[in-house]
Amino acid sequence: QVQNISQSMEVLDLRTYRDLQYVRNTESLMKGLDSRLKVAAESQKSLNTKSFQALKDKMTELLPLMPVLDQYKSDTRLIVHLKEEVRNLSGNLLAIQEEMGAYDYEELQQRVLMLEARLHACMQKLGCGKLTGVSNPITIRASGSRFGSWMTDTMTPSADSRVWYMDGYYKGRRVLEFRTLNDFVTGQNFVQHLLPHPWAGTGHVVFNGSLYYNKYQSNIAVKYHFRSRSVLVQRSLAGAGYNNTFPYSWGGFSDIDFMVDESGLWAVYTTNQNAGNIVVSRVDPQTLEVLRSWDTGYPKRSAGESFMICGTLYFSMSPLAGSKIYFAYSKNTSSYEYTDIPFHNQYSHISMLDYNPRERVLYTWNNG
């Protein structure tokens, strides 16, 4: 696994080096253009009006690349830090091997998995941007009731292709874990988890081996660990509505919606204090503590569903046919914009819509 991480690091390093060189070259070009513009502004004798305007237009085109340059510089520092962690981990592996021989490597394996997941998230972050389109959907299977959810882990090595399936939108406790997507399609090779607390809604997410969900008839968030088959932690989301107080427009106890993007775990809900407007909160995946919240100013009952990509929360217009992704809130800038992104709603009733940053796809449950 350490070897795999090192190979991924080499690819990431090469890609970032090439991109950084490109942006640095662009930066030099911009500085050169800027100097020429200053000279031209002082004395336009050296340039005719047409050439001067052409320079100004070119400068305007290049200006948006300045924040891109800053982002690449920041990402380069992150990569250097990750490379150092890989080196330290390799050294720890050799030391533990000498001390313990072939005994318990579970703790080390968990550290390797976490580092690999962080590396993968870093690679995704380098490609982060703005949503501009969604492809037509691919139907995986027809199963269960009209409402439900299904998902893969948003933060695991690529070899882990397990699928989790949760039929229904309230009082359910039965989670089916399929070994692969093909097993899910055929309905074979699965194990059953019986949750100690029933769920509400369909806004569940699997993140790094654990299921995060809303406990029925409460605003309590629950973290259930699949491997140990136990609840690791549960915590109330202070003031969050529940029991169809502030659901999406389709209802279904969808008051609290957990989601994951390239940067981590989020909870989307609303409170009386926010007058029914959507609140998006960054959540610590270990403790379920809310780290920071943003008020989007958008009424939750007006949204069909929502999902987070690269720090921006996108809203679908309706769970019904003819829907679009038409509103986006960026937590980085605390601002919103109206969008017009076609979204093909093939079966006319969506009750679950979630983005998976590992695969860059949207998972949806659409009328069964």
Side-chain angles (χ1 to χ4, degrees):
Q1 285 175 312
V2 174
Q3 184 180 9
N4 289 339
I5 291 175
S6 299
Q7 290 170 346
S8 298
M9 190 68 73
E10 289 173 13
V11 173
L12 181 58
D13 213 8
L14 177 63
R15 170 183 161 186
T16 309
Y17 174 78
R18 285 199 307 258
D19 290 344
L20 195 57
Q21 285 300 111
Y22 164 73
V23 180
R24 278 175 177 161
N25 292 340
T26 307
E27 185 181 30
S28 299
L29 175 61
M30 290 177 69
K31 287 178 179 177
L33 279 170
D34 192 38
S35 298
R36 290 184 64 186
L37 278 171
K38 286 175 181 175
V39 172
E42 291 171 4
S43 173
Q44 290 199 24
K45 293 178 182 177
S46 58
L47 282 172
N48 61 39
T49 304
K50 186 176 180 181
S51 299
F52 182 67
Q53 187 59 45
L55 269 177
K56 286 183 69 176
D57 292 344
K58 191 67 178 176
M59 192 69 188
T60 302
E61 288 178 20
L62 290 172
L63 279 174
L65 286 171
M66 289 304 291
V68 175
L69 173 66
D70 292 335
Q71 184 63 56
Y72 274 125
K73 287 178 179 176
S74 172
D75 289 335
T76 302
R77 289 192 293 271
L78 177 60
I79 290 163
V80 169
H81 180 67
L82 282 168
K83 286 176 72 175
E84 189 60 34
E85 285 197 40
V86 171
R87 292 194 193 97
N88 292 341
L89 195 58
S90 300
N92 289 344
L93 176 60
L94 291 174
I96 290 174
Q97 195 168 12
E98 289 174 2
E99 291 177 13
M100 300 176 59
Y103 293 103
D104 185 11
Y105 286 90
E106 185 172 337
E107 182 181 351
L108 183 66
Q109 184 181 18
Q110 286 301 310
R111 289 178 61 189
V112 171
L113 291 175
M114 283 296 291
L115 184 56
E116 185 177 7
R118 284 186 59 199
L119 174 62
H120 192 78
C122 177
M123 294 180 73
Q124 290 173 320
K125 181 174 176 287
L126 288 172
C128 255
K130 188 176 178 180
L131 180 66
T132 57
V134 179
S135 70
N136 282 340
I138 299 169
T139 301
I140 302 300
R141 67 177 285 190
S143 177
S145 65
R146 190 180 185 189
F147 313 99
S149 59
W150 71 289
M151 65 217 82
T152 60
D153 200 322
T154 53
M155 186 181 170
T156 59
S158 56
D160 186 346
S161 59
R162 288 175 295 170
V163 173
W164 287 270
Y165 170 88
M166 300 166 70
D167 188 16
Y169 64 85
Y170 77 113
K171 293 203 293 189
R173 293 177 58 200
R174 183 169 171 258
V175 182
L176 301 187
E177 176 187 311
F178 293 84
R179 188 181 59 182
T180 65
L181 179 62
N182 187 61
D183 289 335
F184 175 61
V185 171
T186 59
Q188 300 175 333
N189 296 322
F190 65 86
V191 295
Q192 177 176 286
H193 298 267
L194 197 62
L195 300 176
H197 310 296
W199 71 71
T202 58
H204 333 298
V205 69
V206 175
F207 179 65
N208 198 29
S210 293
L211 173 72
Y212 295 81
Y213 72 96
N214 176 209
K215 183 178 177 181
Y216 179 59
Q217 288 189 324
S218 75
N219 59 11
I220 293 174
V222 179
K223 177 183 179 181
Y224 175 85
H225 189 235
F226 285 114
R227 186 175 176 186
S228 64
R229 292 177 175 264
S230 63
V231 170
L232 298 186
V233 64
Q234 50 183 317
R235 182 188 289 266
S236 174
L237 292 171
Y242 60 94
N243 259 15
N244 267 341
T245 304
F246 297 117
Y248 290 119
S249 61
W250 67 273
F253 295 84
S254 57
D255 303 74
I256 297 173
D257 190 1
F258 293 99
M259 54 190 70
V260 170
D261 75 344
E262 286 76 4
S263 60
L265 178 66
W266 303 87
V268 167
Y269 54 94
T270 191
T271 67
N272 284 319
Q273 289 77 8
N274 289 93
N277 291 332
I278 285 180
V279 176
V280 55
S281 293
R282 182 77 182 269
V283 177
D284 185 324
Q286 302 303 321
T287 65
L288 295 182
E289 180 184 0
V290 171
L291 303 176
R292 185 180 171 187
S293 296
W294 292 261
D295 181 357
T296 66
Y298 190 86
K300 192 163 187 286
R301 286 182 176 273
S302 297
E305 271 283 347
S306 68
F307 55 89
M308 181 83 85
I309 300 179
C310 294
T312 297
L313 187 65
Y314 294 91
F315 303 83
S316 65
M317 185 185 299
S318 162
L320 307 176
S323 182
K324 288 184 177 181
I325 296 166
Y326 76 119
F327 190 84
Y329 178 85
S330 172
K331 59 93 180 170
N332 294 326
T333 60
S334 296
S335 62
Y336 67 88
E337 66 173 320
Y338 287 96
T339 62
D340 187 21
I341 301 172
F343 182 70
H344 185 49
N345 189 341
Q346 189 168 341
Y347 303 107
S348 302
H349 200 290
I350 288 174
S351 59
M352 167 251 170
L353 182 62
D354 263 330
Y355 172 68
N356 188 311
R358 184 179 72 164
E359 304 165 44
R360 295 200 171 189
V361 297
L362 291 169
Y363 280 70
T364 183
W365 185 297
N366 196 341
N367 221 352

